[in-house]
PDB file of all heavy atoms in Angstrom:
ATOM      1  N   ALA A 200     -12.533  13.031   8.989  1.00  0.00           N
ATOM      2  CA  ALA A 200     -13.515  13.925   9.603  1.00  0.00           C
ATOM      3  C   ALA A 200     -13.764  15.146   8.734  1.00  0.00           C
ATOM      4  O   ALA A 200     -14.899  15.639   8.635  1.00  0.00           O
ATOM      5  CB  ALA A 200     -13.038  14.354  10.993  1.00  0.00           C
ATOM      6  N   ALA A 201     -12.718  15.630   8.072  1.00  0.00           N
ATOM      7  CA  ALA A 201     -12.826  16.836   7.254  1.00  0.00           C
ATOM      8  C   ALA A 201     -13.420  16.577   5.885  1.00  0.00           C
ATOM      9  O   ALA A 201     -13.846  17.521   5.209  1.00  0.00           O
ATOM     10  CB  ALA A 201     -11.442  17.473   7.100  1.00  0.00           C
ATOM     11  N   LYS A 202     -13.476  15.323   5.449  1.00  0.00           N
ATOM     12  CA  LYS A 202     -13.852  15.029   4.066  1.00  0.00           C
ATOM     13  C   LYS A 202     -15.197  14.319   3.913  1.00  0.00           C
ATOM     14  O   LYS A 202     -15.693  14.224   2.797  1.00  0.00           O
ATOM     15  CB  LYS A 202     -12.779  14.128   3.426  1.00  0.00           C
ATOM     16  CG  LYS A 202     -11.442  14.806   3.190  1.00  0.00           C
ATOM     17  CD  LYS A 202     -11.511  15.772   2.028  1.00  0.00           C
ATOM     18  CE  LYS A 202     -10.127  16.234   1.633  1.00  0.00           C
ATOM     19  NZ  LYS A 202     -10.168  17.135   0.465  1.00  0.00           N
ATOM     20  N   ASP A 203     -15.781  13.842   4.972  1.00  0.00           N
ATOM     21  CA  ASP A 203     -16.971  12.998   4.838  1.00  0.00           C
ATOM     22  C   ASP A 203     -18.250  13.655   5.324  1.00  0.00           C
ATOM     23  O   ASP A 203     -19.250  12.968   5.560  1.00  0.00           O
ATOM     24  CB  ASP A 203     -16.759  11.676   5.592  1.00  0.00           C
ATOM     25  CG  ASP A 203     -15.982  10.673   4.770  1.00  0.00           C
ATOM     26  OD1 ASP A 203     -16.166  10.628   3.545  1.00  0.00           O
ATOM     27  OD2 ASP A 203     -15.175   9.929   5.361  1.00  0.00           O
ATOM     28  N   TRP A 204     -18.286  14.968   5.440  1.00  0.00           N
ATOM     29  CA  TRP A 204     -19.424  15.643   6.055  1.00  0.00           C
ATOM     30  C   TRP A 204     -20.417  16.229   5.059  1.00  0.00           C
ATOM     31  O   TRP A 204     -21.552  16.547   5.431  1.00  0.00           O
ATOM     32  CB  TRP A 204     -18.924  16.764   6.965  1.00  0.00           C
ATOM     33  CG  TRP A 204     -18.194  17.848   6.212  1.00  0.00           C
ATOM     34  CD1 TRP A 204     -16.876  17.856   5.875  1.00  0.00           C
ATOM     35  CD2 TRP A 204     -18.752  19.058   5.706  1.00  0.00           C
ATOM     36  NE1 TRP A 204     -16.559  18.998   5.192  1.00  0.00           N
ATOM     37  CE2 TRP A 204     -17.699  19.758   5.071  1.00  0.00           C
ATOM     38  CE3 TRP A 204     -20.020  19.641   5.726  1.00  0.00           C
ATOM     39  CZ2 TRP A 204     -17.882  20.997   4.463  1.00  0.00           C
ATOM     40  CZ3 TRP A 204     -20.210  20.870   5.116  1.00  0.00           C
ATOM     41  CH2 TRP A 204     -19.149  21.534   4.500  1.00  0.00           C
ATOM     42  N   LEU A 205     -20.028  16.404   3.798  1.00  0.00           N
ATOM     43  CA  LEU A 205     -20.927  17.029   2.829  1.00  0.00           C
ATOM     44  C   LEU A 205     -22.127  16.136   2.525  1.00  0.00           C
ATOM     45  O   LEU A 205     -21.986  14.916   2.389  1.00  0.00           O
ATOM     46  CB  LEU A 205     -20.185  17.337   1.532  1.00  0.00           C
ATOM     47  CG  LEU A 205     -19.477  18.687   1.419  1.00  0.00           C
ATOM     48  CD1 LEU A 205     -18.874  18.826   0.037  1.00  0.00           C
ATOM     49  CD2 LEU A 205     -20.400  19.849   1.717  1.00  0.00           C
ATOM     50  N   ALA A 206     -23.299  16.745   2.355  1.00  0.00           N
ATOM     51  CA  ALA A 206     -24.498  15.979   2.018  1.00  0.00           C
ATOM     52  C   ALA A 206     -24.342  15.301   0.669  1.00  0.00           C
ATOM     53  O   ALA A 206     -24.745  14.152   0.486  1.00  0.00           O
ATOM     54  CB  ALA A 206     -25.722  16.891   2.025  1.00  0.00           C
ATOM     55  N   ASP A 207     -23.762  15.986  -0.301  1.00  0.00           N
ATOM     56  CA  ASP A 207     -23.556  15.438  -1.636  1.00  0.00           C
ATOM     57  C   ASP A 207     -22.072  15.520  -1.958  1.00  0.00           C
ATOM     58  O   ASP A 207     -21.574  16.541  -2.385  1.00  0.00           O
ATOM     59  CB  ASP A 207     -24.368  16.220  -2.670  1.00  0.00           C
ATOM     60  CG  ASP A 207     -24.224  15.635  -4.073  1.00  0.00           C
ATOM     61  OD1 ASP A 207     -23.645  14.541  -4.185  1.00  0.00           O
ATOM     62  OD2 ASP A 207     -24.675  16.289  -5.037  1.00  0.00           O
ATOM     63  N   ARG A 208     -21.392  14.426  -1.726  1.00  0.00           N
ATOM     64  CA  ARG A 208     -19.944  14.431  -1.949  1.00  0.00           C
ATOM     65  C   ARG A 208     -19.549  13.609  -3.166  1.00  0.00           C
ATOM     66  O   ARG A 208     -18.373  13.328  -3.393  1.00  0.00           O
ATOM     67  CB  ARG A 208     -19.212  13.898  -0.722  1.00  0.00           C
ATOM     68  CG  ARG A 208     -19.504  12.431  -0.453  1.00  0.00           C
ATOM     69  CD  ARG A 208     -18.556  11.821   0.547  1.00  0.00           C
ATOM     70  NE  ARG A 208     -18.671  10.375   0.524  1.00  0.00           N
ATOM     71  CZ  ARG A 208     -17.949   9.560   1.266  1.00  0.00           C
ATOM     72  NH1 ARG A 208     -17.056  10.055   2.091  1.00  0.00           N
ATOM     73  NH2 ARG A 208     -18.101   8.263   1.193  1.00  0.00           N
ATOM     74  N   GLY A 209     -20.547  13.156  -3.948  1.00  0.00           N
ATOM     75  CA  GLY A 209     -20.239  12.369  -5.132  1.00  0.00           C
ATOM     76  C   GLY A 209     -20.049  10.905  -4.794  1.00  0.00           C
ATOM     77  O   GLY A 209     -20.793  10.341  -3.997  1.00  0.00           O
ATOM     78  N   HIS A 210     -19.014  10.277  -5.371  1.00  0.00           N
ATOM     79  CA  HIS A 210     -18.791   8.840  -5.226  1.00  0.00           C
ATOM     80  C   HIS A 210     -18.595   8.453  -3.777  1.00  0.00           C
ATOM     81  O   HIS A 210     -17.781   9.033  -3.074  1.00  0.00           O
ATOM     82  CB  HIS A 210     -17.561   8.441  -6.043  1.00  0.00           C
ATOM     83  CG  HIS A 210     -17.212   6.987  -5.936  1.00  0.00           C
ATOM     84  ND1 HIS A 210     -18.095   5.991  -6.255  1.00  0.00           N
ATOM     85  CD2 HIS A 210     -16.069   6.370  -5.545  1.00  0.00           C
ATOM     86  CE1 HIS A 210     -17.515   4.814  -6.077  1.00  0.00           C
ATOM     87  NE2 HIS A 210     -16.291   5.021  -5.646  1.00  0.00           N
ATOM     88  N   ASP A 211     -19.367   7.481  -3.336  1.00  0.00           N
ATOM     89  CA  ASP A 211     -19.289   7.026  -1.945  1.00  0.00           C
ATOM     90  C   ASP A 211     -18.411   5.790  -1.790  1.00  0.00           C
ATOM     91  O   ASP A 211     -18.438   5.125  -0.762  1.00  0.00           O
ATOM     92  CB  ASP A 211     -20.688   6.711  -1.415  1.00  0.00           C
ATOM     93  CG  ASP A 211     -21.231   7.849  -0.561  1.00  0.00           C
ATOM     94  OD1 ASP A 211     -20.518   8.841  -0.383  1.00  0.00           O
ATOM     95  OD2 ASP A 211     -22.365   7.732  -0.076  1.00  0.00           O
ATOM     96  N   GLY A 212     -17.648   5.454  -2.800  1.00  0.00           N
ATOM     97  CA  GLY A 212     -16.816   4.265  -2.717  1.00  0.00           C
ATOM     98  C   GLY A 212     -17.615   3.024  -3.060  1.00  0.00           C
ATOM     99  O   GLY A 212     -18.757   3.077  -3.500  1.00  0.00           O
ATOM    100  N   GLY A 213     -17.009   1.865  -2.860  1.00  0.00           N
ATOM    101  CA  GLY A 213     -17.692   0.616  -3.148  1.00  0.00           C
ATOM    102  C   GLY A 213     -16.733  -0.402  -3.720  1.00  0.00           C
ATOM    103  O   GLY A 213     -15.546  -0.134  -3.889  1.00  0.00           O
ATOM    104  N   THR A 214     -17.272  -1.576  -4.003  1.00  0.00           N
ATOM    105  CA  THR A 214     -16.419  -2.688  -4.426  1.00  0.00           C
ATOM    106  C   THR A 214     -16.725  -3.154  -5.846  1.00  0.00           C
ATOM    107  O   THR A 214     -16.290  -4.218  -6.255  1.00  0.00           O
ATOM    108  CB  THR A 214     -16.595  -3.866  -3.451  1.00  0.00           C
ATOM    109  OG1 THR A 214     -17.982  -4.240  -3.419  1.00  0.00           O
ATOM    110  CG2 THR A 214     -16.155  -3.468  -2.049  1.00  0.00           C
ATOM    111  N   ASP A 215     -17.492  -2.371  -6.604  1.00  0.00           N
ATOM    112  CA  ASP A 215     -17.864  -2.792  -7.952  1.00  0.00           C
ATOM    113  C   ASP A 215     -16.666  -2.864  -8.896  1.00  0.00           C
ATOM    114  O   ASP A 215     -16.738  -3.506  -9.946  1.00  0.00           O
ATOM    115  CB  ASP A 215     -18.905  -1.828  -8.536  1.00  0.00           C
ATOM    116  CG  ASP A 215     -20.243  -1.916  -7.820  1.00  0.00           C
ATOM    117  OD1 ASP A 215     -20.456  -2.929  -7.121  1.00  0.00           O
ATOM    118  OD2 ASP A 215     -21.054  -0.983  -7.945  1.00  0.00           O
ATOM    119  N   ASP A 216     -15.580  -2.165  -8.552  1.00  0.00           N
ATOM    120  CA  ASP A 216     -14.412  -2.131  -9.424  1.00  0.00           C
ATOM    121  C   ASP A 216     -13.428  -3.267  -9.142  1.00  0.00           C
ATOM    122  O   ASP A 216     -12.316  -3.259  -9.667  1.00  0.00           O
ATOM    123  CB  ASP A 216     -13.680  -0.790  -9.281  1.00  0.00           C
ATOM    124  CG  ASP A 216     -14.533   0.380  -9.749  1.00  0.00           C
ATOM    125  OD1 ASP A 216     -15.385   0.163 -10.635  1.00  0.00           O
ATOM    126  OD2 ASP A 216     -14.348   1.495  -9.230  1.00  0.00           O
ATOM    127  N   ALA A 217     -13.820  -4.220  -8.321  1.00  0.00           N
ATOM    128  CA  ALA A 217     -12.923  -5.328  -7.998  1.00  0.00           C
ATOM    129  C   ALA A 217     -12.780  -6.241  -9.216  1.00  0.00           C
ATOM    130  O   ALA A 217     -13.740  -6.896  -9.629  1.00  0.00           O
ATOM    131  CB  ALA A 217     -13.452  -6.106  -6.805  1.00  0.00           C
ATOM    132  N   LEU A 218     -11.591  -6.294  -9.787  1.00  0.00           N
ATOM    133  CA  LEU A 218     -11.335  -7.089 -10.984  1.00  0.00           C
ATOM    134  C   LEU A 218     -10.467  -8.308 -10.703  1.00  0.00           C
ATOM    135  O   LEU A 218     -10.606  -9.338 -11.346  1.00  0.00           O
ATOM    136  CB  LEU A 218     -10.660  -6.222 -12.052  1.00  0.00           C
ATOM    137  CG  LEU A 218     -11.449  -4.984 -12.500  1.00  0.00           C
ATOM    138  CD1 LEU A 218     -10.605  -4.172 -13.497  1.00  0.00           C
ATOM    139  CD2 LEU A 218     -12.775  -5.375 -13.112  1.00  0.00           C
ATOM    140  N   LEU A 219      -9.557  -8.186  -9.747  1.00  0.00           N
ATOM    141  CA  LEU A 219      -8.615  -9.262  -9.464  1.00  0.00           C
ATOM    142  C   LEU A 219      -9.251 -10.316  -8.561  1.00  0.00           C
ATOM    143  O   LEU A 219     -10.110 -10.015  -7.725  1.00  0.00           O
ATOM    144  CB  LEU A 219      -7.367  -8.719  -8.778  1.00  0.00           C
ATOM    145  CG  LEU A 219      -6.529  -7.690  -9.530  1.00  0.00           C
ATOM    146  CD1 LEU A 219      -5.370  -7.240  -8.659  1.00  0.00           C
ATOM    147  CD2 LEU A 219      -6.034  -8.247 -10.855  1.00  0.00           C
TER     148      LEU A 219
END
Side-chain angles (χ1 to χ4, degrees):
K202 291 286 191 178
D203 277 324
W204 64 274
L205 272 183
D207 183 9
R208 66 167 194 178
H210 178 57
D211 260 359
T214 58
D215 292 343
D216 296 331
L218 301 176
L219 299 178

